[in-house]
Amino acid sequence: MWLLLLSCAGLLGALYALWSWFIPAVVQFNGSLALLWHDVIVERCLDAFTGTTRPQRLLRAVQERATRGDSESVIAAIDHFCRHQEWAMNVGDEKGFILDSVVSEVSPQTALELGTYCGYSTVRIARLLPPGGHLITLEFNPNYAAVARQVIAWAGLEDMVQVVEGASGDWIPHLREHFGIESFDFVFLDHWKELYLPDIKLLEECGLLRKGTVLLADNVVCPGTPDYLEYVRKSQSYESHYFGSHLEYTRAEDGLEKSVYLG
């Protein structure tokens, strides 16, 4: 009996070590494996086990750890959650500093984010907008949008941000009439990677990019956006620069592409 109990305890200990330490350590250096492990296996298991979703768990971490109205503490709470509790595919702290640098350089009055998820990058962008600046962020998934609104409100930035639910391809042609936007000073792309290229072409066609508009695209290496990179790097309408970094909260190669629209 005792031998059976010891065997079971040993097996459980080994499984726990695999789950919490060994596999996460191995996938740290391979983006595809990291996405498979964290974004498919772990997320689905925790959703089933807890009866909650990852965005809901992230929101709870913000509410427990962050100070209401303090955007920096909201960012820190999400980074802590993603590094020490449960990985999530937002831009992350390392690439977040690059995002901060570009936003601060542009100081946009009008900004567009494609892909809100839980509002992490939304908070990073909005907190750096100049007085009177405004950010429109598009999110296809209504459940993500609901969590993002609460995260943004917890950061005290709800007056600067408009969360819009729906497909980017449906909304882009109507942004001007709905929000009175003539053009955007800054666009952050962090949604479905296969939509990067059609969406910036749509922004061009709708006249929502002006000469000097800065586009910043995340995850151009992992999962990767080869068609988008080829377009902005070869087009005479853009001047592009690559910022090498790592996939959020890992050591796998990733990066951001900054592209200035030349008209």
Side-chain angles (χ1 to χ4, degrees):
M1 179 66 177
W2 285 109
L3 183 60
L4 178 61
L5 290 174
L6 287 173
S7 297
C8 290
L11 178 60
L12 289 173
L15 290 174
Y16 178 78
L18 281 171
W19 173 275
S20 62
W21 177 77
F22 183 76
I23 296 177
V26 169
V27 304
Q28 273 282 310
F29 299 92
N30 185 296
S32 297
L33 290 178
L35 291 174
L36 174 63
W37 173 249
H38 292 295
D39 224 21
V40 178
I41 297 172
V42 172
E43 182 174 14
R44 291 179 181 177
C45 288
L46 290 177
D47 286 358
F49 182 74
T50 65
T52 63
T53 66
R54 176 184 286 164
Q56 291 170 339
R57 296 187 290 274
L58 184 148
L59 173 61
R60 188 184 308 120
V62 167
Q63 294 169 338
E64 291 175 352
R65 296 184 63 90
T67 302
R68 187 184 288 272
D70 183 348
S71 59
E72 298 297 335
S73 73
V74 169
I75 292 169
I78 296 175
D79 285 333
H80 184 275
F81 173 81
C82 293
R83 283 200 176 277
H84 302 290
Q85 293 175 250
E86 185 179 353
W87 184 92
M89 195 171 182
N90 51 61
V91 69
D93 46 6
E94 184 181 353
K95 287 185 295 181
F97 289 122
I98 300 172
L99 172 61
D100 291 352
S101 176
V102 174
V103 173
S104 296
E105 176 190 350
V106 176
S107 191
Q109 283 291 331
T110 55
L112 173 67
E113 179 182 40
L114 302 178
T116 315
Y117 189 41
C118 296
Y120 174 86
S121 54
T122 311
V123 170
R124 291 200 84 114
I125 295 169
R127 84 194 204 286
L128 297 174
L129 294 179
H134 189 69
L135 170 63
I136 296 172
T137 180
L138 303 184
E139 176 52 56
F140 178 76
N141 187 313
N143 296 319
Y144 294 169
V147 167
R149 287 190 180 95
Q150 295 179 75
V151 170
I152 294 162
W154 201 271
L157 297 169
E158 63 269 36
D159 291 341
M160 306 176 71
V161 179
Q162 178 72 49
V163 180
V164 179
E165 293 180 29
S168 54
D170 294 338
W171 265 106
I172 288 172
H174 302 289
L175 290 176
R176 179 175 285 122
E177 63 184 271
H178 276 272
F179 301 104
I181 298 292
E182 287 302 314
S183 63
F184 290 101
D185 301 323
F186 175 74
V187 179
F188 183 54
L189 297 93
D190 195 19
H191 57 329
W192 293 103
K193 311 314 164 190
E194 64 271 17
L195 295 181
Y196 281 23
L197 182 55
D199 279 353
I200 68 159
K201 288 184 175 180
L202 191 55
L203 287 167
E204 293 172 9
E205 293 169 9
C206 294
L208 292 169
L209 304 182
R210 60 162 179 82
K211 184 176 181 179
T213 296
V214 173
L215 285 71
L216 188 66
D218 189 21
N219 302 124
V220 296
V221 173
C222 183
T225 57
D227 58 342
Y228 174 83
L229 289 182
E230 182 179 16
Y231 180 74
V232 295
R233 290 174 179 178
K234 291 185 176 180
S235 171
Q236 297 299 309
S237 297
Y238 293 93
E239 182 179 286
S240 285
H241 175 77
Y242 173 69
F243 293 93
S245 186
H246 298 93
L247 179 68
E248 34 270 54
Y249 312 109
T250 75
R251 302 308 299 167
E253 182 186 0
D254 195 17
L256 301 109
E257 186 82 2
K258 175 188 174 185
S259 304
V260 181
Y261 186 61
L262 304 178

